[in-house]
């Protein structure tokens, strides 16, 4: 975790603050998406709102998660300088995990995840989002898990995210089975 974080990992050492769904979240995504598209132009091959703030009715940390597909996320000179000029800050570089990069926004609390176009991780994130949007039982299961885990004190926010893995994988398995047999 330390090696991937540019400038070091921030300690959290607290419970996770979840808030009720806000109708403002899609508008915040739209504003950021417009800014990213204006910054990168045709280098944006896909840009989507993901994570809990993209699922109406779901509690979330008030951070807008976005996925951006570029031709090659490992080719940082092709997009990082433009993003930094626009005020985005590259915070995570994970070449060993899907060539993932993560930017924080200039004025809105976002996690802009960057992958190469066609990366299977993006498909997984979109399938999870779409399933939660349409499946009340799994959305409620995920919310219960999030609320229970959020009560604990977490040294790093990533530890909270990692603790949700088993329920996320369980839900993705159902979503994938429904897609494959639907």
């Amino acid at each position: 975790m330390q090696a991937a974080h540019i400038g070091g990992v921030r300690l959290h050492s607290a419970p996770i603050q979840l808030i009720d769904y806000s109708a403002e979240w899609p508008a915040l995504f739209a504003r950021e998406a417009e800014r990213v598209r204006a910054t990168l132009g045709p280098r944006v091959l896909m840009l989507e709102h993901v994570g809990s703030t993209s699922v109406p009715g779901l509690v979330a940390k008030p951070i807008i998660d976005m996925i951006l597909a570029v031709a090659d996320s490992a080719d940082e000179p092709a997009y990082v300088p433009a993003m930094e000029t626009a005020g985005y800050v590259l915070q995570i570089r994970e070449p060993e995990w899907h060539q993932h990069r993560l930017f924080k926004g200039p004025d809105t609390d976002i996690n802009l995840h960057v992958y190469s176009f066609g990366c299977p991780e993006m498909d997984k994130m979109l399938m999870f989002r779409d399933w939660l949007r349409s499946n009340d039982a799994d959305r409620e299961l995920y919310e219960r898990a999030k609320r229970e885990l959020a009560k604990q004190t977490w040294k790093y926010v990533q530890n909270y995210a990692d603790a949700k893995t088993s329920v996320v994988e369980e839900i993705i398995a159902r979503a994938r089975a429904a897609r494959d047999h639907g």
Side-chain angles (χ1 to χ4, degrees), residues 3-182:
H5 282 73
I6 299 162
V9 182
R10 288 194 340 252
L11 282 177
H12 182 71
S13 299
I16 301 296
Q17 297 298 320
L18 299 176
I19 65 171
D20 288 335
Y21 180 82
S22 171
E24 180 183 50
W25 293 338
L28 291 173
F29 163 76
R31 186 182 72 197
E32 285 305 311
E34 185 177 314
R35 190 180 342 210
V36 170
R37 288 183 194 287
T39 300
L40 296 180
R43 292 172 282 188
V44 175
L45 302 180
M46 180 175 53
L47 188 57
E48 293 277 343
H49 188 185
V50 294
S52 295
T53 62
S54 71
V55 179
L58 187 59
V59 299
K61 297 186 314 291
I63 301 169
I64 307 301
D65 279 298
M66 304 170 65
I67 52 174
L68 166 65
V70 296
D72 179 3
S73 57
D75 182 10
E76 290 185 17
Y79 65 96
V80 171
M83 293 296 288
E84 289 176 337
T85 298
Y88 292 88
V89 177
L90 181 62
Q91 288 207 327
I92 296 176
R93 176 184 293 118
E94 295 178 292
E96 70 291 341
W97 188 70
H98 304 287
Q99 288 295 337
H100 173 250
R101 307 298 191 268
L102 182 131
F103 288 91
K104 295 302 273 182
D107 54 25
T108 300
D109 200 353
I110 67 163
N111 288 326
L112 177 62
H113 302 271
V114 183
Y115 298 99
S116 299
F117 188 76
C119 173
E121 186 63 19
M122 292 187 309
D123 179 55
K124 187 172 152 182
M125 293 169 84
L126 293 169
M127 182 173 39
F128 185 68
R129 176 200 68 189
D130 294 347
W131 183 257
L132 290 181
R133 284 177 173 175
S134 65
N135 188 291
D136 294 341
D138 275 339
R139 185 175 55 253
E140 291 164 10
L141 170 66
Y142 186 51
E143 181 164 325
R144 283 192 308 275
K146 287 174 62 152
R147 286 185 185 279
E148 195 58 37
L149 290 168
K151 295 175 189 174
Q152 298 177 36
T153 296
W154 298 97
K155 184 174 182 178
Y156 302 108
V157 174
Q158 185 61 46
N159 299 139
Y160 162 77
D162 292 344
K164 297 184 299 180
T165 299
S166 63
V167 73
V168 168
E169 292 299 331
E170 174 188 333
I171 292 168
I172 287 172
R174 279 194 288 277
R176 186 170 282 123
R179 181 187 70 184
D180 293 347
H181 296 98

